[in-house]
Amino acid sequence: MSNPETRFSIERANAEIRACAAAVRRTPYALRYHIAPPCGWMNDPNGLCRSGGRYHVFYQHYPYAPQWGPMHWGHASSADLAHWRHEPVALAPDQPYEAGCFSGSGADDSGVLTLVYTAHDDARAIKETQCVARSFDGGRTFVKSANNPVIPAPPEGCETDFRDPKIWREGDRWLLVVGTARGGRGCAALYESADIEHWQFKGILCESDGGLGSMWECPSFCRVDGQDLLLISPIGMEGHKNIALFGAFDPETGRMAVDHWQEIDLGGDFYAAQVLDDGGRTLMFGWMDMWNREHPTEADGWAGALTIPRELSVREGRLLQNPPRELEALRGETLADSADSAALRDVQSDGYELRVELDAPEGALVFSDARGELLRVELRDGEAAFAMPGRPAVCAPLALPFDGAEIRAFIDRCSIECFVNGGEACYTCRVYPQDHIVACAASGPVRRVRAWALGDAFEEAPC
């Protein structure tokens, strides 16, 4: 694959999508308002940024089959964070130095939408390097830098697993963090640049203390409510998939002293979280699926999706995640609005938003299909517990003050995302209801239940 006569090209990828996307949209599990591939495979969110008045979300994509393959970058954009359109494929592995365009990030560089990504090729001694591509037409097409790879090797002492660059602006310079490992411990390598083309290694931003995994994927640095955070997907940290490291970053030394960490999402189908700086707020998307899972939608020609956007905040050392207000634009018919939880019997849909308010910090919300329970969310003894058939139950403490309790959920054909008590505990899962209806029932001291049908957020056919 790593030769000038590569099989892959942007033109071929877009032709494949044009040929297959309409049929995929007609399949019963095709998501209504989440970003999913027009056809083929999707994993990590990439390149999140705002440029030219639009939000841009890229993702790892293999358009030719609903299984992982040589990675391309798919692309969707939005003017309002609620309604999206598919854009042409942004990157294909079409250069001699890459057999796959792995994960990375994006930025607006003086009006130019700029991507930084990992070029991957297992056939090379240095299998992962960092590269740049720019768009001069608002994200329709991208030109790869003549200087690629702009970071041609990992730092001395680090392993050849060296991927997923995250770029951000710090004063008059650009900073970039890359996931890697040294001495069998996960770490994040930090670089700085004046022009995104020429990078200097600044040092190790932070690393595992021995208990935070053997390699760090998808590092994503951000500041939320004055708190420095590094989101990572640690490999080899048993029982944990995506965590947020809380600490203090010193831009002069390039070091971040870690104070504590928190699991981002307790669900089994959440990985590779990435953030977007939206001026006065930070937004986050995650991959709404997981490795080594069955993907029933493969039979329909697609697999994988991204979560809805989540607005981040930090309160008393806790990371909170909440759906942004823009998603209210998707609301259609009111399906329930009552102080009687029995009103939820009329919520018989495959796509809706649900809010259950309780007068006390106890109660339960159960989602089910014709076969039985899909997901149970239970609040008791100061914690939120989540249980699915065939998966271990998980719990999270609810330590922050809250007036009673609230469970908020977004259901979209084959997915459920739950937010408890203002996003203090979150749970994401893929479900495949037998009858394509997700029913719900609430118990406990219910104050109010509300539900709204949510409409299709996408154009019928991708560009």
Side-chain angles (χ1 to χ4, degrees):
M1 203 103 62
S2 57
N3 61 68
E5 298 181 1
T6 178
R7 296 184 296 121
F8 299 109
S9 69
I10 296 291
E11 294 76 18
R12 183 186 168 206
N14 288 327
E16 179 73 12
I17 292 170
R18 286 193 295 270
C20 301
V24 167
R25 289 299 301 164
R26 292 192 294 269
T27 60
Y29 288 128
L31 294 164
R32 293 185 182 278
Y33 56 89
H34 286 80
I35 298 174
C39 63
W41 170 272
M42 167 195 280
N43 56 284
D44 306 354
N46 296 154
L48 309 185
C49 63
R50 193 169 186 179
S51 181
R54 296 186 69 84
Y55 295 96
H56 295 271
V57 172
F58 302 83
Y59 52 87
Q60 292 284 272
H61 184 33
Y62 185 63
Y64 303 105
Q67 296 88 30
W68 191 92
M71 285 291 94
H72 297 52
W73 275 37
H75 181 195
S77 76
S78 172
D80 64 1
L81 208 61
H83 301 90
W84 296 86
R85 75 182 183 211
H86 289 287
E87 303 286 359
V89 170
L91 302 177
D94 55 8
Q95 298 299 313
Y97 48 77
E98 59 195 16
C101 298
F102 276 21
S103 294
S105 57
D108 185 307
D109 182 15
S110 302
V112 177
L113 179 51
T114 302
L115 307 179
V116 185
Y117 69 98
T118 296
H120 178 94
D121 189 345
D122 277 325
R124 292 175 175 264
I126 299 176
K127 64 181 180 180
E128 292 179 328
T129 60
Q130 315 315 315
C131 298
V132 170
R134 290 184 172 84
S135 177
F136 301 97
D137 57 8
R140 299 286 297 178
T141 61
F142 287 82
V143 179
K144 294 178 181 177
S145 172
N147 293 321
N148 282 347
V150 296
I151 304 179
E156 185 177 354
C158 291
E159 298 175 11
T160 57
D161 286 309
F162 175 59
R163 55 184 174 267
D164 313 332
K166 167 62 179 176
I167 186 174
W168 75 97
R169 191 78 176 177
E170 189 81 40
D172 61 353
R173 55 185 172 160
W174 294 96
L175 296 183
L176 178 147
V177 65
V178 187
T180 184
R182 63 177 184 177
R185 296 184 176 190
C187 64
L190 184 69
Y191 292 79
E192 65 178 3
S193 173
D195 60 4
I196 312 185
E197 293 280 335
H198 305 88
W199 293 91
Q200 290 186 323
F201 175 57
K202 193 167 179 65
I204 298 298
L205 177 73
C206 58
E207 61 188 318
S208 170
D209 59 3
L212 299 178
S214 57
M215 192 271 167
W216 288 356
E217 290 193 309
C218 304
S220 197
F221 178 85
C222 57
R223 288 192 181 94
V224 179
D225 295 331
Q227 172 66 60
D228 294 335
L229 297 171
L230 182 68
L231 314 186
I232 60 170
S233 298
I235 294 176
M237 186 180 178
E238 187 174 356
H240 301 281
K241 311 174 307 306
N242 228 158
I243 63 175
L245 305 178
F246 288 68
F249 172 58
D250 184 338
E252 294 305 315
T253 65
R255 294 286 296 177
M256 177 174 166
V258 176
D259 178 63
H260 66 281
W261 60 270
Q262 175 186 333
E263 192 79 30
I264 297 173
D265 189 294
L266 296 172
D269 298 302
F270 183 95
Y271 194 70
Q274 289 291 295
V275 296
L276 182 161
D277 182 358
D278 191 27
R281 63 178 177 175
T282 300
L283 302 172
M284 180 185 75
F285 288 80
W287 177 33
M288 193 170 64
D289 226 319
M290 195 57 191
W291 303 111
N292 302 317
R293 288 258 192 266
E294 291 186 3
H295 304 107
T297 61
E298 288 185 15
D300 296 330
W302 70 282
L306 303 185
T307 65
I308 58 173
R310 303 180 182 186
E311 187 171 338
L312 303 184
S313 59
V314 171
R315 184 180 173 196
E316 296 180 20
R318 296 283 296 173
L319 176 65
L320 308 181
Q321 307 163 55
N322 283 288
R325 293 184 64 88
E326 286 92 337
L327 295 190
E328 294 178 8
L330 296 175
R331 291 177 181 171
E333 177 188 1
T334 298
L335 303 177
D337 189 351
S338 174
D340 185 352
S341 61
L344 293 179
R345 295 172 186 165
D346 296 327
V347 179
Q348 299 287 321
S349 177
D350 64 356
Y352 57 96
E353 176 189 351
L354 176 65
R355 298 187 78 157
V356 176
E357 299 172 44
L358 302 167
D359 277 324
E362 58 183 27
L365 181 61
V366 177
F367 298 96
S368 60
D369 69 357
R371 292 170 294 191
E373 286 191 10
L374 297 168
L375 171 66
R376 174 180 289 269
V377 185
E378 191 168 359
L379 309 186
R380 63 174 188 269
D381 301 327
E383 66 179 17
F386 304 88
M388 294 181 69
R391 296 190 190 179
V394 292
C395 302
L398 298 175
L400 299 179
F402 205 87
D403 178 20
E406 179 190 68
I407 305 173
R408 191 174 181 187
F410 285 75
I411 293 83
D412 190 359
R413 287 190 165 176
C414 58
S415 70
I416 302 175
E417 293 178 74
C418 288
F419 305 85
V420 177
N421 284 10
E424 187 179 4
C426 301
Y427 189 94
T428 298
C429 59
R430 299 296 298 275
V431 297
Y432 301 90
Q434 185 180 47
D435 52 1
H436 301 288
I437 296 294
V438 179
C440 56
S443 62
V446 171
R447 179 188 303 163
R448 188 181 185 187
V449 295
R450 288 178 287 170
W452 301 267
L454 296 183
D456 195 329
F458 273 84
E459 298 176 354
E460 282 299 313
C463 299

